Amino acid sequence: MDQETYNYEKIARAIEYISENVKTQPSLFEVAEEVNISQFHFQRMFTEWAGVSPKKFLQYITADYLKEKIKESTNLIELAELAGLSSQSRVYDLFTGIEAVTPQEFKTGGKGLQIRYGFHQTPFGECFVAVTERGICAMAFVDEDSRAHQLILLGKKWHFATIEPNQKVTESYIHRIFSPNLNSLEKLPLMVQGTNFQLKVWEALLTIPQGSVTTYQQIANSIGNPKAVRAVGTAVGDNPVAYLIPCHRVIRKEGILGEYRWGSLRKKALIGWEAAKMDAGLVS
């Protein structure tokens, strides 16, 4: 097992244990014992990963904290602008200005496209990514059991494209996405298939700054369709590009994180990690 995956699995188990036992406030020693590593090693591993202590990290995924973050995100456009990122320019850079597939490409299942894919280690476990010359067309967190399933899904969606493994090509994308020096995720090109409604929802997701969260209702409001909350939830769940199109930043209005296509525990890790990095001024 890769060291980064090993570390993430230990950290994820620790987050789960701390969350389940929040009322008893387990000590650092107890948490380390639960994940079967020394207290010193665990403290160092967790702090290197999150930038904060396990106790501090827990604050970022409590309902009270998240409800306050929801209040801040009532208007997604204003929130993006306050973060120094014009929502219009973000959508243009990351999505509209790159491209959704053309109707003909959608109809023909990507005929003529060359798609290269790879599996890579990330701070949140193993990740599958697939790219064309025009951008990332698929990304998902995986484990040993779901690797083959991702390839099946890719083949169904792009059934006439040429699909081949190429770790060297995809590694450069993974490095840009998860590099600690990365400042502008919006400059990574995406190429996706989706209905007009799905595209609107995914565009809205792009306006949510790192370290922030919003609700399904707020997404529905932002696309001018406040009654379509259930449909918004479905579109969020159909997101084809994990992490970059940040569906993990959409939570329930009660401050509850809710489900996540790639695991509710991973959603806790993502939201807490981003909030900790934002607090420390390590992301933009």
Side-chain angles (χ1 to χ4, degrees):
M1 180 186 296
D2 180 273
Q3 186 64 45
E4 198 166 21
T5 299
Y6 171 85
N7 289 354
Y8 171 73
E9 289 186 358
K10 292 291 185 183
I11 288 164
R13 175 63 193 128
I15 293 170
E16 183 177 41
Y17 178 73
I18 294 168
S19 299
E20 289 174 348
N21 296 278
V22 63
K23 291 183 179 178
T24 60
Q25 293 282 306
S27 67
L28 184 64
F29 174 78
E30 289 171 322
V31 179
E33 192 173 53
E34 175 67 22
V35 299
N36 296 315
I37 56 178
S38 73
Q39 179 177 332
F40 172 77
H41 187 195
F42 172 70
Q43 171 81 358
R44 186 177 63 180
M45 176 193 293
F46 197 98
T47 304
E48 285 178 355
W49 177 79
V52 297
S53 68
K55 185 176 181 180
K56 177 70 173 176
F57 183 92
L58 182 62
Q59 295 176 20
Y60 296 123
I61 54 176
T62 61
D64 287 344
Y65 175 86
L66 292 169
K67 281 190 283 189
E68 287 302 311
K69 297 301 289 186
I70 288 171
K71 289 179 184 177
E72 294 175 11
S73 64
T74 303
N75 187 317
L76 291 178
I77 294 176
E78 287 182 4
L79 185 65
E81 289 173 346
L82 283 173
L85 300 166
S86 161
S87 63
Q88 291 183 342
S89 68
R90 288 197 88 197
V91 169
Y92 177 84
D93 287 344
L94 180 55
F95 194 83
T96 309
I98 306 305
E99 62 195 304
V101 298
T102 65
Q104 183 63 22
E105 286 170 332
F106 187 90
K107 183 178 179 181
T108 60
K111 186 175 182 180
L113 281 176
Q114 182 182 37
I115 299 176
R116 292 168 290 187
Y117 69 87
F119 294 90
H120 301 274
Q121 306 309 316
T122 80
F124 308 102
E126 190 175 23
C127 183
F128 168 78
V129 63
V131 304
T132 74
E133 289 184 353
R134 287 146 58 188
I136 297 170
C137 62
M139 187 167 162
F141 294 107
V142 297
D143 56 30
E144 195 171 327
D145 295 332
S146 61
R147 275 177 157 222
H149 181 61
Q150 288 303 321
L151 287 174
I152 291 170
L153 290 178
L154 187 70
K156 285 182 176 179
K157 186 167 281 191
W158 304 93
H159 48 275
F160 287 120
T162 300
I163 300 175
E164 60 185 20
N166 193 320
Q167 292 280 121
K168 187 174 181 180
V169 168
T170 53
E171 184 177 16
S172 65
Y173 283 87
I174 291 296
H175 179 73
R176 289 176 64 194
I177 293 166
F178 294 104
S179 166
N181 297 318
L182 187 65
N183 292 317
S184 301
L185 291 182
E186 68 273 17
K187 293 180 181 177
L188 283 163
L190 302 183
M191 181 187 181
V192 298
Q193 294 183 19
T195 66
N196 287 337
F197 183 83
Q198 287 174 323
L199 298 180
K200 283 184 178 180
V201 171
W202 298 338
E203 286 174 357
L205 295 179
L206 299 181
T207 68
I208 310 169
Q210 294 186 60
S212 299
V213 292
T214 191
T215 66
Y216 298 97
Q217 183 64 68
Q218 288 174 350
I219 293 288
N221 294 344
S222 74
I223 64 172
N225 203 339
K227 294 183 179 180
V229 178
R230 187 178 295 274
V232 163
T234 300
V236 168
D238 288 337
N239 171 23
V241 183
Y243 189 71
L244 289 176
I245 299 178
C247 57
H248 59 277
R249 296 177 194 156
V250 185
I251 67 174
R252 288 161 56 181
K253 62 184 179 181
E254 302 89 352
I256 298 170
L257 293 177
E259 295 303 311
Y260 182 53
R261 182 174 173 181
W262 296 285
S264 56
L265 182 54
R266 184 173 275 111
K267 187 172 184 177
K268 282 184 181 179
L270 283 161
I271 287 178
W273 185 87
E274 288 187 341
K277 297 293 185 183
M278 180 62 70
D279 234 15
L282 297 178
V283 294
S284 60

